Amino acid sequence: AVASTRYAAAAVVIAGVNFLTVNAIGQISQTLGRKPAIVLPLLGMGGCDLLLSLVKPNQHNFGYVLLGLGICSLAGSVFSVLAALFVVTADIVSTPSRAPPTPG
């Protein structure tokens, strides 16, 4: 029971860090450009996947899982990649193409 409470608390902290870093990636995108805002979270997700690959199927070692998710959260995770790609799409597509069609 103590271990599950500890893991739940770690998951809440990781979610909070993820929330803060997604907002920070927006500032990185404005100052350094779009490519670093996409590459940094992708590298973090790669580090997360590397650590998650170390966990064996029947071995319940949640330390690697939490460490991997922490790295992914510090780098911004998939939400930052999606946000940056939405911004790039909005930069590329012209304004009249984004407008919904008018009825009639």
Side-chain angles (χ1 to χ4, degrees):
V2 173
S4 62
T5 305
R6 204 173 13 179
Y7 291 133
V12 169
V13 169
I14 288 172
V17 169
N18 194 7
F19 176 75
L20 294 174
T21 54
V22 166
N23 293 323
I25 292 291
Q27 290 297 327
I28 290 172
S29 173
Q30 292 295 323
T31 57
L32 299 178
R34 307 284 187 239
K35 286 183 184 176
I38 295 172
V39 171
L40 179 66
L42 288 175
L43 290 174
M45 290 188 317
C48 175
D49 291 341
L50 181 69
L51 284 173
L52 290 178
S53 69
L54 297 175
V55 178
K56 296 184 171 103
N58 293 327
Q59 178 187 12
H60 299 290
N61 191 349
F62 291 110
Y64 286 126
V65 173
L66 290 177
L67 183 62
L69 293 176
I71 289 172
C72 191
S73 292
L74 284 173
S77 77
V78 70
F79 302 113
S80 298
V81 175
L82 287 175
L85 291 177
F86 288 147
V87 170
V88 169
T89 303
D91 288 346
I92 293 172
V93 177
S94 64
T95 305
S97 299
R98 288 185 273 166
T102 57

